[in-house]
Amino acid sequence: MNTSPQQKSLPRKEAGYVTPLAWAIILGALVILFAVFFWVQQVVAKERETAFANTQDVNSKIALSDEVRIRSLLASLDKVLLIMRIEFVANPKLTREALMLRLEELKIDNELDPYIYFADASGEVLLSSAQSSTSQKLKLNVADRAFFIKQKIEQGDPLMVGAPVESRFNGQWVIPLTRRITNRDGSFGGVISLSVDPNLFTDPFGKTSLGKNATRALMGLDGYTLLRLNGDKVSFGGDTRKSQLYTEIKQSKVGSYKAVAASDGIQRAVSYRVIDPYGIIILAGSSVESIEDSYRDKARGYIIGSVLFGALIVSMCGLMLFGIVRQRKLAASQQQFTKLIELVPQLISGLDKHGEIVWVNNRSPEYVGPSAEEQAAGFDWVRAAVHPDDQIRVNDFVASALTRSQNMESCEYRKRRFDGAYLWFSSQITRVSDVDSGEISFLQTGTDIHDRKMAEERSRVAQKLESIGQLTGGMAHDFNNLLAIILGNLDLARSQQTAAAATRQIDVAMNAAQRGVGLVKSLLALASKQPLLPATIDLGALTERISPLLKHAAGQRVHFELKLPSVGVQVEVDEAGLEAVLLNLTMNARDAMPKGGDLSLSLGITGASASIVMTDTGTGMPEAVRKRATEPFFTTKERGHGTGLGLSMVAGFVKQSHGSLKIQSVEGKGTTIEILLPLVRATERAAMALDPSEVETVPAPLSSILMSQSPPPVNSLVASTTGKRRILIVDDEPALAELVRAWAKAQGHTVVLATSADDALTLLAVRAFDVLLTDIMMPGSMDGIGLAEKASGLYPAMKILLMSGYSKETATNRADVPWPLLVKPFGKDDFYAAIEHACGVSGFAILV
């Protein structure tokens, strides 16, 4: 049978159909194979990236762990340095036995085995814990040491961590930790050094393997290596200032980078952290070769598996391996997270999405101290340790944090420690979202802020007292002006009034004004601005003289006992003010013993101070009341029975007298108040004991004549009737100026008034005056001191008097002002005496 062309061509057509299919299969297989190999290539690249990332992550966490450990270690050792420096400065003759005993008391870990020594400014070692008590004292000098030279040159007081050196005590390599010893005049007095074994820093390095050719190093910010661990080899020293590390540090104090090491030419991936304020860099690095070795075997397995088992098997194996790697990474991350949670110095709790505690770090039970039964029952003991007054605020804070995606707020609360003490903490809550499951949880931290809160409270009280002092001082100054006007005009009215009834009314008004003067003095004492007249007195004689008054003030129900010292106790203080203080304390003690009790007043000497101690057996004060006892206007007495200025006036007087006040009180048992006043030095007492005839007689400055707290009696003055004066009175209070002019005119003096310094200078330019009487505190560009300085330069023959409601030091902010001061409120007799004394006519030496 003949075959047609079409029939012959059929096989060719079928063969052509099969060929494309084969090619399609081959091409499909090649595509699949190419896809598999491409996927494998991507997996290998990802594994390389992951290996580097994991290694850098591990290095960063190791560096962080080393930072926490080294920072804690340096802080502990620095604390020993600071304590021993204080004790050595206080007792330069400290013996080695005392030094060793003190180190034992500080409980330095025996494993650290440090030794400490002190060197003077010349570098000579004065005392060392490494010296034997029985052997001959070693004569050592460290003046050539780098740390000694640096401490001598640099200012400030940093802890210096030096490079390891070979000890001159025992020949071993040590790391010196030094602090500067500064003399009282600020000069360099030497160093205190604590030397520790470098293994203290390198031992933990060997516990964590970073692979072949790994490195761990501790460097200084000055560019020199303290120590380096490459494998098992430890080396010291080396200049690294030109390395990649210092380029990276300029950008960030924490980071990672990859570079070739100049020391051995090995390329490494490095993580570093700068440990402030010690000026130290901690470094952990792994070689790039070891990182690549860690993933090269996995890459080879992927390639072989893809060739042998095909794209599907390779894909499945790849997915399985990817899952295993991820699981391992997750487990490692969880392990590192757990380590970090235990390393941070905070109380940390894990909360579920409902705010219930599911775990806590070890610091939480260590701080609170729950019993085994409480820990077994759950985490109720965590919330129970919060102060009852803070429970609601903490619960509201937690509830609010659960509803926010980001919570930047914090909550401050008190938490009970295992010993029962409540300390302040600051809490923050952070939301944590699981990437895979999307489950929400929370992390709550508690940071100890107790020291900060106590410092804020002390600052708040100090600012409050300072503000009250400024307010009361200003008010008292203005009241002195008003009282001077009232008392002066009442005195004028009384001299011009003849009716007996009117005279009695004026006397009543003057008595009330005098009571106002007493209140102003209390306010000035509170503000530490009361004019005082300090004099050297014997405390024993003063207290013995006023003891009948104190017994009378204490009342018949109180047994009063006075304990005097066997030797004289002399202080320089305002006598009238001190009498008022003792009387005030006596009446306070009486009020604290309504049913009677014992009250003792004892005098003594404590160091360089005279001690006045008053103890009662009264009701005492709770701690909250004791802390506020010296606050102005604070009182626990019924309304109308106390102003709240008693103890605040006492505190102000003591402060102004350069002393200190201590209050100890136990509720239900009584109160002890101790006043410490500076003793008068022996040289001062000897100068005061000289015969007046042996001392050159000079005119007494009016600042010492007219600082009396009360007007002097008329009969204590030696009056002068010689001459009439031309007086210029400068005061921005017109009523007071008019009153003084009336007094002056009554004596026949010619008086001109001015309300400002500028007006006074204008009058001085056109008229001649014998006396210038000016107030210190006046509005305008120039006060009384500026006016007096300018007038004394222009008119040196004119006499100058100052007047103020403050003391000279308070009104002028200086104690060397040469012109006498007339303290407001003053009477006309004081005014007359001041004018006579200023003009050199009066024969008196002092007003009493």
Side-chain angles (χ1 to χ4, degrees), residues 443-714:
L443 193 68
Q444 182 175 6
T445 61
T447 305
D448 186 350
I449 60 169
H450 189 75
D451 291 342
R452 191 200 78 193
K453 292 289 289 185
M454 295 300 100
E456 290 175 352
E457 177 65 18
R458 289 190 295 269
S459 176
R460 183 191 66 80
V461 173
Q463 291 175 359
K464 177 180 177 182
L465 291 177
E466 182 179 357
S467 299
I468 292 175
Q470 292 176 353
L471 173 63
T472 53
M475 290 174 57
H477 174 263
D478 293 340
F479 272 121
N480 267 337
N481 280 336
L482 298 178
L483 289 170
I485 297 170
I486 293 171
L487 287 170
N489 281 281
L490 287 174
D491 189 34
L492 285 177
R494 181 168 59 181
S495 64
Q496 298 171 5
Q497 185 61 254
T498 57
T503 301
R504 285 194 299 272
Q505 293 174 353
I506 292 175
D507 290 340
V508 171
M510 290 192 70
N511 289 334
Q514 289 293 351
R515 290 173 60 190
V517 172
L519 179 59
V520 168
K521 290 181 179 179
S522 295
L523 292 175
L524 285 172
L526 166 64
S528 297
K529 297 179 179 180
Q530 178 185 1
L532 299 180
L533 183 60
T536 301
I537 63 172
D538 187 291
L539 279 182
L542 182 141
T543 52
E544 190 172 17
R545 175 170 54 81
I546 67 169
S547 60
L549 176 62
L550 299 181
K551 290 180 180 179
H552 177 75
Q556 296 181 352
R557 294 185 178 182
V558 176
H559 175 259
F560 180 82
E561 182 181 5
L562 178 62
K563 301 177 181 179
L564 298 176
S566 58
V567 295
V569 180
Q570 292 185 327
V571 295
E572 188 173 2
V573 72
D574 184 273
E575 184 173 355
L578 183 58
E579 291 177 2
V581 165
L582 295 178
L583 185 60
N584 192 306
L585 294 178
T586 301
M587 291 188 294
N588 279 351
R590 177 200 62 195
D591 295 340
M593 297 181 290
K595 297 182 180 180
D598 296 327
L599 176 63
S600 66
L601 174 61
S602 59
L603 307 179
I605 297 177
T606 303
S609 300
S611 172
I612 305 174
V613 181
M614 184 169 287
T615 303
D616 66 61
T617 58
T619 56
M621 293 180 283
E623 183 64 16
V625 174
R626 186 193 65 80
K627 290 182 178 180
R628 302 186 58 191
T630 58
E631 288 187 18
F633 307 109
F634 174 77
T635 180
T636 58
K637 297 179 182 180
E638 298 178 2
R639 187 171 184 178
H641 290 79
T643 63
L645 290 176
L647 280 179
S648 61
M649 181 273 290
V650 171
F653 174 83
V654 172
K655 178 181 178 182
Q656 198 172 0
S657 301
H658 309 291
S660 61
L661 177 69
K662 298 180 181 179
I663 301 177
Q664 297 179 348
S665 185
V666 178
E667 190 173 8
K669 294 186 178 180
T671 301
T672 297
I673 298 180
E674 181 180 13
I675 298 175
L676 296 177
L677 297 172
L679 285 170
V680 174
R681 296 189 298 270
T683 56
E684 295 175 348
R685 293 198 300 269
M688 296 172 186
L690 288 175
D691 189 335
S693 62
E694 299 176 1
V695 181
E696 182 181 356
T697 303
V698 296
L702 199 58
S703 57
S704 65
I705 296 175
L706 299 175
M707 291 299 293
S708 171
Q709 296 188 32
S710 58
V714 178

Side-chain angles (χ1 to χ4, degrees), residues 18 22 43 62 102 105 143 203 267 282 345 428 441 473 488 625 648 654 661 683 740 781:
V18 171
V43 169
I62 289 174
R102 191 68 182 99
E105 292 174 350
D203 282 349
Q267 186 180 25
I282 187 70
Q428 286 187 320
S441 60
V625 174
S648 61
V654 172
L661 177 69
T683 56
V740 178
S781 59

